[in-house]
């Protein structure tokens, strides 16, 4: 199939597409395609329209055709292509395409994907929890979604029609409105009625969140002017975020005619307002962002949560509960449609988002999870369009004994030089092994020395690292060690072999500052021991080295006396090294050379200044196997 595209022109399909009337847009675009007037961008819109109306075979074909041209396919559209392939009989083509796409996506996406694919294939995305999931009796034949706890009630969004004259054409139902309901002891809802605690509107009011600290309802609403919808230059009507103080004033928090904001969530502990938005510079469709606030007043520009959370797909519905960050994503490696993920909140970001697995998630759309403690367990709610519901999206409740989501173990930090902690080391292989030595995960430190590994919880692990000409690192962590670590940064200290040795007198020696013995004495001086401690550390870092201790003196005194003196000094050095942890087997020789190797003209009978005699007084720690350590 070869497509030829027309020049840009005004299109009925475009008008319908930007008004979210995807089925009608399909008919219009297909007619324009048959007439030969479809532009490449409009063909992409047609592919998106197929996708939005669940025509995945046609969507996959269209995306693949555009993929071959390699022009308009952003990461977000590649995600849709991969999703479409997952929903069809072409799943093997998805695997083939993934193998060619590593340069198209962030490295965090691949890490997230590999982690989740392995978990889902092993059906271990979460502990074996006994979910009691139930469909809410208050669901309607229309769309019901976005629950939030409101004191002893439940608020949610619904497309149920209150006024037949005020309907939303794309959904063939009413504009979304906020409803309230009584919450029973069994988790069911009753007495559903419109919520009157926010200003009335003929258009969308949806995805409420009740903040007890702010005593406010945060929600999204259609952009309007003088009571009528406001549109941007493309004819698009977007959603804003407003805050209604209970019994007080309304305030518009976030508004942009070309950007829709969704699912506000206020985290009282951090003062951050989280939300979804479809800014042009995001990682995919809708990304998750936050703004800093001062008691709900916005104090910063929107900050993207980054590629650990956001993907080429759509991320929505943020929710923080007990240091875990929950959200929904339609990234291509899930169970299907929107899935709910959990990520650990860390000091400097987030852990790998983990699919909650079957039960909470299904092959259909599952999103908008909330929960709270309830007796000895938890009570929660989410929305889903899984089979067996009453409408398009239904609200589901669940009761469970433990918090959903897999407990993980995270190691992160920098790889640094042990003798220069401010100097980081890149491209170091960092591995995590279980207590039997089986590899759990492996990564490489980046250009700033950063590394990060995350695995399902283990009660004992070994962290190790390696790089050519660098010391190896290995440390075993017990359960107590891991509990005390608690996701804090852990630096890995390594040594570069070439930093610690030098060429001297035609051989490779450990790099030391010169130290002296007192004249005629064999006792180590205060200045000697810090240098010998460097040798101890060197052997610790490079346990395969074989050493020879060489000690020399000047020409003063008898030659026999000088041989005995230097031999005793070499033996004193060896004794110190062995007592401080250097295995005796690493020291092959300990030799005193007396005055045999004078470095200058200060031979017997020649008058020399003390500083010249001192040039001949020296001890060397020779690395005998330097030539074979790194063949």
């Amino acid at each position: 199939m070869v497509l030829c595209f027309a020049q840009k022109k005004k299109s009925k399909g475009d008008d319908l597409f930007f008004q979210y009337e995807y089925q009608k847009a399909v008919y219009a675009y297909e007619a324009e395609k048959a007439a030969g007037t479809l532009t490449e961008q409009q063909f992409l819109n047609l592919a998106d329209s197929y996708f939005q109306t669940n025509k995945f075979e046609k969507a996959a074909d269209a995306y693949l055709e555009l993929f071959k041209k390699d022009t308009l396919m952003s990461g977000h559209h590649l995600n849709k292509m991969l999703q479409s392939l997952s929903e069809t009989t072409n799943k093997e083509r998805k695997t083939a395409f993934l193998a060619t796409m590593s340069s198209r996506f962030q490295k965090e996406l691949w890490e997230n994907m590999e982690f989740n694919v392995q978990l889902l294939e092993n059906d271990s995305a979460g502990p074996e929890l006994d979910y009691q999931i139930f469909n809410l009796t208050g669901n309607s034949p229309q769309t019901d979604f976005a629950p939030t706890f409101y004191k002893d009630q439940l608020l949610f969004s619904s497309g149920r029609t209150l006024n037949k004259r005020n309907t939303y054409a794309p959904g063939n139902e009413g504009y979304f409105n906020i409803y309230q309901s009584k919450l029973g002891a069994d988790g069911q809802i009753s007495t559903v009625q419109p919520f009157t605690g926010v200003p009335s509107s003929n258009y969308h009011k949806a995805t409420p969140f009740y903040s007890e600290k702010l005593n406010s309802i945060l929600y999204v609403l259609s952009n309007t002017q003088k009571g009528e919808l406001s549109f941007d230059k493309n004819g698009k009507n977007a959603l804003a975020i407003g805050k209604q103080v209970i019994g007080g004033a309304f305030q518009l928090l976030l508004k942009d005619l070309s950007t829709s904001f969704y699912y506000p969530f206020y985290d009282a502990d951090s003062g951050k307002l989280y939300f979804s938005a479809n800014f042009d510079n995001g990682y995919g469709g809708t990304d998750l962002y936050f703004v800093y606030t001062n008691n709900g007043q916005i104090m910063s520009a929107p900050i993207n949560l980054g590629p650990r959370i956001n993907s080429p797909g759509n991320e929505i519905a943020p929710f923080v509960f007990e240091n875990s960050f929950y959200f929904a994503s339609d990234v291509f490696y899930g169970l299907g449609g929107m899935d709910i993920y959990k990520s650990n909140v860390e000091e400097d970001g987030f852990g790998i988002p983990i699919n909650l697995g079957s039960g909470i998630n299904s092959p259909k759309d599952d999103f908008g999870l909330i929960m709270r403690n309830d007796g000895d367990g938890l009570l929660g709610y989410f929305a889903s369009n899984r089979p067996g519901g009453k409408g398009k999206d239904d609200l589901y409740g669940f009761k469970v004994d433990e918090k959903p989501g897999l407990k993980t173990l995270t190691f992160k930090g920098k790889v640094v030089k042990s003798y220069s902690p401010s100097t980081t080391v890149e491209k170091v292989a960092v591995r995590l092994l279980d207590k039997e030595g089986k590899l759990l995960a492996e990564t490489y430190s980046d250009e700033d020395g950063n590394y990060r590994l995350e695995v399902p919880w283990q009660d004992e692990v070994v962290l190790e690292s390696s790089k050519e000409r660098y010391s190896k690192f290995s440390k075993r962590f017990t359960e107590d060690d891991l509990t005390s670590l608690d996701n804090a940064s852990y630096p890995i200290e390594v040594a570069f072999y070439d930093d610690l040795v030098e060429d001297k007198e035609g051989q490779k020696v450990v790099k030391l500052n010169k130290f002296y013995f007192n004249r005629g004495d064999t006792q180590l001086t205060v200045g000697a021991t810090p240098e010998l401690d460097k040798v101890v550390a060197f052997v610790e870092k490079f346990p395969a080295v074989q050493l020879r201790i060489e000690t020399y003196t000047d020409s003063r005194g008898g030659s026999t006396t000088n041989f005995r003196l230097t031999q005793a000094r070499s033996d004193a050095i060896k004794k110190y090294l062995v007592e401080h942890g250097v295995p005796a087997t690493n020291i092959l020789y300990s030799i005193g050379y007396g005055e045999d190797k004078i470095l200058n003209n200060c031979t017997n009978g020649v008058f020399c200044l003390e500083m010249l005699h001192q040039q001949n007084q020296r001890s060397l720690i020779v690395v005998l196997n330097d030539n074979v350590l790194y063949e």
Side-chain angles (χ1 to χ4, degrees):
M1 175 183 176
V2 178
L3 288 175
C4 296
F5 294 103
Q7 297 298 311
K8 184 170 179 60
K9 59 184 283 294
K10 184 167 178 61
S11 163
K12 181 180 179 181
D14 289 344
D15 292 337
L16 294 165
F17 180 80
F18 287 114
Q19 288 298 311
Y20 314 107
E21 301 242 27
Y22 296 115
Q23 185 56 63
K24 292 181 180 178
V26 165
Y27 298 143
Y29 281 138
E30 286 181 339
E32 291 162 10
K33 176 184 171 186
T37 60
L38 204 65
T39 67
E40 190 169 321
Q41 178 62 56
Q42 288 163 347
F43 186 60
L44 181 60
N45 294 348
L46 173 58
D48 287 346
S49 299
Y50 285 140
F51 183 85
Q52 293 293 340
T53 53
N54 297 331
K55 295 179 175 62
F56 295 116
E57 290 279 1
K58 289 186 174 182
D61 289 343
Y63 287 133
L64 288 169
E65 184 62 33
L66 286 163
F67 178 78
K68 294 173 186 175
K69 296 176 69 68
D70 196 28
T71 51
L72 298 176
M73 291 288 283
S74 65
H76 182 50
H77 289 103
L78 290 174
N79 185 73
K80 289 182 179 180
M81 182 183 79
L82 294 168
Q83 282 182 284
S84 299
L85 291 171
S86 296
E87 296 287 346
T88 68
T89 56
N90 291 317
K91 293 182 180 180
E92 66 281 356
R93 297 186 72 181
K94 170 185 167 182
T95 303
F97 276 108
L98 277 174
T100 68
M101 289 183 179
S102 60
S103 63
R104 297 283 196 121
F105 295 132
Q106 301 282 330
K107 69 179 180 67
E108 289 87 350
L109 177 74
W110 296 105
E111 293 170 354
N112 293 354
M113 178 185 70
E114 290 172 357
F115 195 102
N116 279 275
V117 167
Q118 182 179 6
L119 289 178
L120 292 174
E121 285 179 350
N122 296 331
D123 197 27
S124 57
E128 292 294 328
L129 297 179
D130 182 18
Y131 289 108
Q132 301 173 44
I133 299 176
F134 49 93
N135 188 286
L136 298 193
T137 56
N139 283 314
S140 72
Q142 287 77 38
T143 300
D144 299 295
F145 66 108
T148 186
F149 293 110
Y150 176 58
K151 301 179 181 178
D152 60 348
Q153 301 180 63
L154 194 72
L155 301 184
F156 63 93
S157 307
S158 179
R160 59 191 74 191
T161 305
L162 291 175
N163 183 342
K164 291 184 178 179
R165 292 177 299 175
N166 191 30
T167 59
Y168 179 54
N172 195 28
E173 56 187 1
Y175 278 93
F176 293 135
N177 197 11
I178 300 173
Y179 289 79
Q180 67 185 78
S181 58
K182 291 183 179 179
L183 198 54
D186 60 355
Q188 280 290 357
I189 61 174
S190 61
T191 319
V192 176
Q193 57 188 359
F195 180 61
T196 59
V198 297
S200 62
S201 169
N202 290 328
Y203 305 107
H204 288 310
K205 296 179 293 180
T207 64
F209 173 73
Y210 168 62
S211 168
E212 182 177 4
K213 182 173 183 180
L214 299 180
N215 189 35
S216 299
I217 302 291
L218 303 170
Y219 67 105
V220 302
L221 62 159
S222 298
N223 284 325
T224 60
Q225 185 174 13
K226 296 180 180 180
E228 297 299 325
L229 293 175
S230 298
F231 299 92
D232 71 358
K233 62 182 180 180
N234 290 320
K236 176 182 177 182
N237 176 253
L239 299 170
I241 290 179
K243 180 182 77 169
Q244 175 63 56
V245 178
I246 305 298
F250 170 82
Q251 181 183 0
L252 201 59
L253 297 181
L254 293 165
K255 178 180 178 179
D256 182 329
L257 285 181
S258 296
T259 302
S260 278
F261 301 91
Y262 311 90
Y263 288 95
F265 173 84
Y266 179 74
D267 181 28
D269 291 336
S270 66
K272 293 177 180 178
L273 172 60
Y274 292 95
F275 56 90
S276 305
N278 60 351
F279 290 114
D280 290 338
N281 60 352
Y283 291 92
T286 56
D287 279 7
L288 293 174
Y289 295 81
F290 74 89
V291 290
Y292 289 105
T293 74
N294 181 4
N295 200 32
Q297 300 301 308
I298 294 176
M299 304 296 290
S300 75
I303 299 169
N304 191 294
L305 266 59
R308 179 62 67 195
I309 294 294
N310 291 313
S311 76
N314 297 288
E315 280 69 46
I316 61 171
F319 180 76
V320 178
F321 181 72
E322 294 183 351
N323 211 41
S324 292
F325 186 78
Y326 293 87
F327 65 98
S329 173
D330 65 357
V331 66
F332 60 84
Y333 53 74
L335 292 180
M338 279 275 171
D339 280 359
I340 299 169
Y341 291 80
K342 171 207 159 188
S343 173
N344 294 326
V345 179
E346 301 176 353
E347 290 180 5
D348 53 353
F350 298 92
I352 290 176
I354 300 162
N355 192 299
L356 294 191
S358 57
I360 291 292
N361 289 321
S362 72
K364 297 297 183 179
D365 292 325
D366 307 284
F367 57 101
L369 179 140
I370 63 168
M371 72 182 100
R372 70 183 184 190
N373 292 305
D374 183 63
D376 294 332
L378 296 164
L379 171 68
Y381 297 91
F382 64 97
S384 178
N385 63 352
R386 62 186 63 188
K390 298 182 178 67
K392 297 177 180 178
D393 291 317
D394 272 15
L395 294 172
Y396 288 83
F398 67 90
K399 291 191 174 186
V400 70
D401 292 336
E402 300 176 30
K403 189 168 70 173
L406 186 71
K407 183 180 180 182
T408 64
L409 175 62
T410 303
F411 275 89
K412 61 184 177 179
K414 288 183 180 291
V415 182
V416 299
K417 291 185 176 179
S418 55
Y419 41 86
S420 179
S422 62
T423 305
T424 60
V425 188
E426 65 176 345
K427 298 180 181 177
V428 176
V430 184
R431 292 173 290 273
L432 205 57
L433 313 175
D434 68 12
K435 55 189 174 185
E436 279 80 36
K438 179 183 176 183
L439 180 66
L440 297 171
E442 181 177 22
T443 189
Y444 288 84
S445 58
D446 66 16
E447 62 273 12
D448 297 316
N450 297 305
Y451 79 93
R452 189 182 190 285
L453 293 166
E454 187 169 2
V455 297
W457 176 262
Q458 305 276 323
D459 57 15
E460 188 175 340
V461 295
V462 175
L463 180 68
E464 64 177 34
S465 76
S466 63
K467 182 179 179 177
E468 182 72 10
R469 303 192 75 80
Y470 279 81
S471 61
K472 295 183 185 299
F473 172 91
S474 181
K475 180 173 174 58
R476 184 174 293 271
F477 293 82
T478 65
E479 187 168 11
D480 289 342
D481 296 329
L482 297 172
T483 301
S484 61
L485 184 63
D486 192 27
N487 287 332
S489 293
Y490 188 86
I492 293 176
E493 296 185 347
V494 296
F496 184 36
Y497 178 77
D498 295 347
D499 284 346
L500 304 181
V501 297
E502 61 182 339
D503 291 312
K504 186 172 285 188
E505 299 182 29
Q507 52 193 349
K508 193 73 73 174
V509 302
V510 181
K511 189 184 294 185
L512 304 174
N513 294 321
K514 195 166 185 180
F515 60 89
Y516 299 97
F517 288 82
N518 292 326
R519 183 162 179 76
D521 198 357
T522 63
Q523 297 297 313
L524 296 174
T525 62
V526 173
T529 55
E531 298 308 306
L532 295 182
D533 288 340
K534 293 179 183 179
V535 181
V536 174
F538 175 72
V539 177
E540 238 176 42
K541 296 294 186 183
F542 301 95
V545 295
Q546 298 172 354
L547 304 178
R548 179 174 64 224
I549 302 169
E550 300 180 355
T551 302
Y552 304 87
T553 189
D554 58 49
S555 62
R556 292 175 293 186
S559 60
T560 301
T561 300
N562 284 339
F563 271 119
R564 288 199 300 267
L565 180 67
T566 54
Q567 183 63 54
R569 288 174 174 177
S570 283
D571 292 343
I573 291 172
K574 178 178 179 179
K575 182 173 184 292
Y576 181 90
L577 295 178
V578 172
E579 288 177 348
H580 287 78
V582 175
T585 53
N586 284 81
I587 304 174
L588 301 190
Y589 306 98
S590 170
I591 302 175
Y593 284 94
E595 57 185 83
D596 269 6
K597 294 185 180 180
I598 300 298
L599 299 178
N600 51 30
N601 294 322
C602 298
T603 55
N604 286 331
V606 176
F607 173 79
C608 285
L609 297 174
E610 180 65 25
M611 61 173 289
L612 294 176
H613 278 304
Q614 282 187 340
Q615 290 178 2
N616 297 310
Q617 301 170 20
R618 62 204 188 275
S619 293
L620 303 178
I621 311 296
V622 181
V623 183
L624 296 172
N625 59 339
D626 170 77
N627 60 329
V628 297
L629 279 175
Y630 296 105
E631 287 183 334

